[in-house]
Amino acid sequence: MLKPLGDRVVIEPLKQEDRTESGIVLPEKAKEKPMRGVVAAVGRGRIENGKTISPDVKVGDLVLYNKYAGTEIKYDQKELLIMRESDVLGILEPSKEKELVHNG
């Protein structure tokens, strides 16, 4: 696996649906750039005043990030983004409503 350095993270963007909720098929050009993804790898963290500050995100987190953040790469036949942790806007937590549906 690709190991990012410093305060960088590797994110696997989530693919946008090919259809709208009403069933309209979207051409590639109409799709927006994804802004959500799953953290695939995390660097050591950033250095402040000689101390390493651990990252707030961890592998497996579902995150929201800036639309044009990061560098797109293809690694191990996967489309990935490498970006600074500061470009991650937040961690998306599963809603309680979805958990209740999935848990029965």
Side-chain angles (χ1 to χ4, degrees):
M1 181 58 179
L2 179 64
K3 178 71 175 165
L5 300 176
D7 67 339
R8 289 179 176 78
V9 296
V10 177
I11 295 179
E12 187 171 347
L14 294 178
K15 302 288 184 205
Q16 183 180 356
E17 293 295 321
D18 292 339
R19 296 177 186 263
T20 64
E21 287 183 23
S22 59
I24 298 172
V25 177
L26 294 171
E28 278 299 312
K29 289 184 179 182
K31 292 181 185 178
E32 286 194 27
K33 239 181 140 158
M35 293 174 33
R36 296 184 318 154
V38 176
V39 177
V42 180
R44 284 184 2 171
R46 66 186 185 281
I47 297 176
E48 286 184 13
N49 300 323
K51 294 181 183 177
T52 302
I53 308 297
S54 297
D56 291 326
V57 298
K58 64 184 181 308
V59 173
D61 282 346
L62 177 63
V63 295
L64 181 68
Y65 53 87
N66 285 325
K67 188 180 250 185
Y68 298 104
T71 302
E72 296 176 354
I73 64 163
K74 190 167 189 169
Y75 181 81
D76 214 14
Q77 299 180 353
K78 290 183 181 180
E79 301 289 331
L80 301 171
L81 285 170
I82 298 177
M83 66 181 69
R84 293 195 178 277
E85 185 188 22
S86 60
D87 288 329
V88 175
L89 302 173
I91 299 170
L92 297 168
E93 305 264 336
S95 72
K96 295 291 181 196
E97 186 176 307
K98 286 185 182 177
E99 286 179 18
L100 291 175
V101 171
H102 290 293
N103 290 334

